[in-house]
Amino acid sequence: METQKLYVLPNLPYDHAALKPHLSEELLKLHHDKHHAAYVTGANAILQKMDKARTDNADFDVKATFKELSFHIGGHILHSLFWRNLAAAGRDGGGKPSGRIENVLTEEYGSFDRFKKLFSQTAASVEGSGWAALTFCKGTQRPIIMQVEKHNINVYPQFRILMVLDVWEHAYYPDYKNDRGKFVEAFWNIVNWAEVNNRLEKL
Ligand code: MN
């Protein structure tokens, strides 16, 4: 049988209630089981449409299709990273970074608090739907904050993403209504710094 060669929704690395009180069980169920799942389904539907077009030797709307594919794959990849850089507060989540990530952030931003402020401002100022992402440029050996619009706009090609924060309304409305700032503050209590450091070490 031919391999499916399609995307698969990863399981959360913790249960839906693990990030309480910062993120509710209801929010995580909606966000992971519905929203993330929809990007996986969306990307796979396009891949299958393209497979069918190849079989039928048919044309398709290349511009619209690739734009939509970029959106869905971006959504899938970013959410997959997001779940992994979160962890239960007071266990693996929260606190301050240590190890190489601490050195890299302190050297670039002067202090962890200054990095935190810039990253929070990045998240707060996303116009509409998007993400704040901490990336690392191998060429300059510098961390660079990326403000992603939607799931795929403003992305620096090949920069390793170390940490992301989803600021689409679906990421916080069930718990925080329109108060994105409060959600961004809560995020710092559930960052899994060991995982962020691990991603940097694996570069
Ligand atoms: Mn999301």
Side-chain angles (χ1 to χ4, degrees), residues 1-6:
M1 208 168 109
E2 198 187 342
T3 315
Q4 286 293 298
K5 288 185 165 179
L6 294 173

Side-chain angles (χ1 to χ4, degrees), residues 80-98:
S80 300
L81 292 169
F82 186 46
W83 308 131
R84 297 190 61 81
N85 71 232
L86 299 178
R91 296 181 66 179
D92 297 322
K96 289 190 172 184
S98 59

Side-chain angles (χ1 to χ4, degrees), residues 8-21:
V8 176
L9 179 68
N11 290 325
L12 286 178
Y14 31 73
D15 67 50
H16 290 101
L19 304 180
K20 291 199 302 189

Side-chain angles (χ1 to χ4, degrees), residues 31 35 39 79 131 151 166 168 170-171:
H31 198 173
H35 290 277
Y39 300 121
H79 282 94
W131 300 73
H151 297 311
D166 187 343
W168 280 59
H170 70 228

Side-chain angles (χ1 to χ4, degrees), residues 2-199:
E2 198 187 342
T3 315
Q4 286 293 298
K5 288 185 165 179
L6 294 173
Y7 293 102
V8 176
L9 179 68
N11 290 325
L12 286 178
Y14 31 73
D15 67 50
H16 290 101
L19 304 180
K20 291 199 302 189
H22 305 290
L23 295 179
S24 69
E25 183 172 0
E26 182 203 7
L27 185 149
L28 269 201
K29 277 185 176 162
L30 283 168
H31 198 173
H32 173 269
D33 303 3
K34 303 293 180 191
H35 290 277
H36 185 172
Y39 300 121
V40 173
T41 306
N44 288 339
I46 293 165
L47 292 177
Q48 286 171 317
K49 187 180 88 172
M50 289 165 59
D51 289 346
K52 184 168 188 313
R54 183 187 61 233
T55 305
D56 298 346
N57 197 24
D59 288 334
F60 59 89
D61 184 338
V62 166
K63 184 177 177 187
T65 301
F66 290 157
K67 185 175 179 179
E68 203 184 334
L69 186 60
S70 165
F71 175 81
H72 286 296
I73 291 178
H76 169 50
I77 301 288
L78 288 171
H79 282 94
S80 300
L81 292 169
F82 186 46
W83 308 131
R84 297 190 61 81
N85 71 232
L86 299 178
R91 296 181 66 179
D92 297 322
K96 289 190 172 184
S98 59
R100 189 165 164 225
I101 187 70
E102 182 194 9
N103 299 336
V104 159
L105 293 178
T106 305
E107 190 181 331
E108 179 69 24
Y109 299 102
S111 67
F112 171 64
D113 285 342
R114 185 171 163 78
F115 159 73
K116 197 172 155 181
K117 186 177 158 192
L118 279 175
F119 192 87
S120 294
Q121 288 173 336
T122 303
S125 64
V126 170
E127 224 175 274
S129 301
W131 300 73
L134 172 64
T135 73
F136 193 81
C137 173
K138 284 177 87 170
T140 58
Q141 291 289 301
R142 296 176 75 138
I144 295 190
I145 295 173
M146 177 162 88
Q147 186 180 66
V148 183
E149 290 179 11
K150 297 184 181 176
H151 297 311
N152 50 344
I153 297 167
N154 295 347
V155 171
Y156 308 130
Q158 293 197 320
F159 280 25
R160 177 82 174 190
I161 299 177
L162 305 178
M163 177 175 87
V164 290
L165 171 56
D166 187 343
V167 290
W168 280 59
E169 287 184 351
H170 70 228
Y172 58 92
Y173 252 68
D175 289 355
Y176 297 94
K177 300 296 182 278
N178 60 332
D179 197 345
R180 188 193 285 183
K182 201 172 165 198
F183 163 65
V184 172
E185 259 177 59
F187 165 73
W188 297 110
N189 296 307
I190 49 173
V191 175
N192 184 343
W193 285 111
E195 171 63 17
V196 180
N197 190 55
N198 188 36
R199 292 188 61 74

